[in-house]
Amino acid sequence: MTHHNIAQRIQDLRTTFDNGQTRDLDWRKTQLSALERMMRDNEAAIAEALKSDLGKPYGEACTAEIDLVLKEAVHARKSLHRWAKPQRTGTPLAILPGQSFVEPTPYGVTLIIGAWNYPFQLVLAPLVGAIAAGNCAIIKPSELAPHSSALLKQLVERYLDSNAYAVIEGEADVAAALLEQHFDLIFYTGGERVGRIVMEAAAKHLTPVILELGGQNACIVDETADLAVAARRIVWGRFLNAGQICVAPDHVYVAASVETRLLEELKNAVTTMFGADPKQSPDYGRIVNPRHAARLQALLSGGRAITGGQVDVDNCYVAPTILTEVAADAPVLREEIFGPILPVLPYHTLEAPLAAINARSPALALYAFTRNQKTADRIIAATRSGSVTINDTVIFMANPNLPFGGVGASGMGSYHGHYSFTAFSHQRAVLKRGFALDAAIRYPPFTKQKLSMLRRVT
Ligand code: NAD
């Protein structure tokens, strides 16, 4: 798509927005229903595209992509009247008589840029927020998941109002061309490096941004934890989507006294979930491309694999791998792994993992397994992160009542459920007054006495 075509498409959407069509709540609901139908009618095609792009297991395609978007859309449609209603708020004496409201209003024409690891969820869940809040939107899916990107374009054009919503496919140059244009809000999901590019481009137009980035999510297991349950939940969270998930536990700090037992349980959990040869498991995914598989292969030398370690770069396979004896300066600990490798590091006092966590930029998620409430509270109070989960991993994402987003280098802004609606809404201040009681006290000329009275009543 040329620069001219991109600019024209954005102008078309702006015309729709200016016409006021997207402000109508019933119209928004119709679009949300259409999105729900789109997900239901095309389950097989979506699962197939995800299989082609990421070898994504059918179960994961259903739960983490199709159902998550569906639930978000249904929740938004059913809550829309309540969410969109202007909220009455107090009015101080000096402004009486008058009525004050906070009214959520749409930003206008928005841009949603997605990453490849959850190619449907990461653009369609924000789109639910954009539609519910009354915006137009252009979606730019990731080029690294080409089957999903092509299907998204086809489906969005078929099911949604093309005067308000469009998918523009392409590589980084297309994303860059889009970013040159003036949008009213940009919602970006992806890595930190491009996050900075997006924010810089947005600054030129003073466009607000929501950045959903990544980072290194730590997981602490103390000596009181139920090690079998902890191991299952960690293995599940780490090896979902073959580890290519922004909220996966990146590494585990375990109390040294239970390290050996935890390692054993982690190993058992891998075998129970994916069998003796995970390559044959229908429930285990693939790496997005050989380049990333090779990148992950290089990280394996950072420790000793107690399970896994096998890599087939050409077929994008990296086995679920648990690493022990990891050197403190190993590359596998220096960057977000974004793959199926889990380093396990022993600690002697809780201060050590807390200090290590606080030495890094705040992550998207933090996990801790403990039966000790005081330890849990201490971990929560002593750290910063987009989210914190005690005694589980990743599953918090399935709660639409919790905001999903990062802080610091893991991002800014959040979404899911009502938070998606607020993310795509400007909270407009509305004050309505009549013409009565136009007290002279507020107008010049001011005497000392008049000013003193004014300061007392305002
Ligand atoms: P990616 O390579 O798919 O890039 C994301 C998007 O940015 C794509 O649409 C791409 O076209 C665009 N892009 C690439 N270069 C660009 C440029 N120069 N200018 C403008 N746009 C450009 O995805 P990625 O960055 O490899 O994604 C992985 C990262 O995303 C990880 O760090 C992960 O933690 C993070 N992530 C975060 C979330 C979240 O919800 N917070 C979800 C998924 C992934």
Side-chain angles (χ1 to χ4, degrees), residues 186-222:
I186 300 175
F187 188 109
Y188 167 78
T189 302
E192 190 182 322
R193 184 187 65 81
V194 176
R196 289 176 199 278
I197 295 174
V198 169
M199 200 166 170
E200 252 183 75
K204 295 207 175 83
H205 298 284
L206 289 180
T207 297
V209 289
I210 293 169
L211 301 179
E212 299 286 338
L213 311 177
Q216 293 174 281
N217 310 307
C219 177
I220 299 175
V221 180
D222 85 354

Side-chain angles (χ1 to χ4, degrees), residues 17-32:
F17 182 75
D18 291 343
N19 287 343
Q21 183 180 336
T22 64
R23 298 198 179 231
D24 182 76
L25 292 191
D26 288 333
W27 183 86
R28 296 184 205 176
K29 282 187 180 178
T30 311
Q31 295 303 305
L32 289 168

Side-chain angles (χ1 to χ4, degrees), residues 114 116-117 140 142-143 175 189-191 212-214 246 336 338 404:
W116 48 265
N117 58 331
K140 156 65 185 79
S142 173
E143 68 279 17
T189 302
E212 299 286 338
L213 311 177
C246 54
E336 180 185 2
F338 221 57
F404 178 71

Side-chain angles (χ1 to χ4, degrees), residues 110-155:
T110 61
L111 172 64
I112 299 170
I113 303 179
W116 48 265
N117 58 331
Y118 286 85
F120 289 88
Q121 187 214 122
L122 295 177
V123 293
L124 296 180
L127 182 67
V128 168
I131 296 174
N135 298 277
C136 292
I138 286 190
I139 294 173
K140 156 65 185 79
S142 173
E143 68 279 17
L144 295 190
H147 296 87
S148 303
S149 173
L151 184 60
L152 265 164
K153 183 171 171 62
Q154 202 189 316
L155 295 181

